[in-house]
Amino acid sequence: MDDPLAERRFLDVWSRHEISDRDRRLVLVGLLVAQGLEEELEIQLDAALRTGDLTPGELRAVVALVVHYAGAARGARLDRQAEDLIERTARG
């Protein structure tokens, strides 16, 4: 980040102890899907898989929930993103 204030806010949000990183990431995924921010969503999904915040099975369950509530079009895009990331992560 080039903006020191934005970086400090980011660190503050992610260092709070009231909720886990996993829960933060789940909320963030929902917000990014709702806003249609696919590039940022891919970054978060990749991080969730690589850090172990979400397992492939949990990610698929999130996709199923999003399809139901955010609509088929956004859910289908999320499903493709998730499956591609799961496959890439499995390959190493």
Side-chain angles (χ1 to χ4, degrees):
M1 290 182 191
D2 294 334
D3 180 356
L5 181 58
E7 186 173 342
R8 188 175 31 208
R9 287 182 183 149
F10 172 84
L11 292 172
D12 178 55
V13 168
W14 281 88
S15 65
R16 297 181 64 124
H17 300 288
E18 294 84 2
I19 61 174
S20 68
D21 285 351
R22 179 185 186 277
D23 291 346
R24 255 190 280 294
R25 201 163 312 275
L26 285 169
V27 169
L28 185 53
V29 164
L31 291 168
L32 293 172
V33 168
Q35 294 177 55
L37 298 172
E38 293 181 26
E39 186 175 313
E40 293 84 352
L41 179 60
E42 183 155 347
I43 292 167
Q44 291 303 317
L45 295 177
D46 183 61
L49 288 171
R50 292 189 185 281
T51 62
D53 286 341
L54 293 174
T55 66
E58 290 169 331
L59 179 54
R60 289 182 178 112
V62 168
V63 169
L65 187 68
V66 167
V67 167
H68 181 75
Y69 285 99
R74 285 193 176 163
R77 285 192 301 272
L78 175 60
D79 184 52
R80 280 193 308 277
Q81 273 185 308
E83 290 303 325
D84 288 348
L85 283 167
I86 290 167
E87 184 179 318
R88 285 198 314 254
T89 303
R91 287 189 301 223

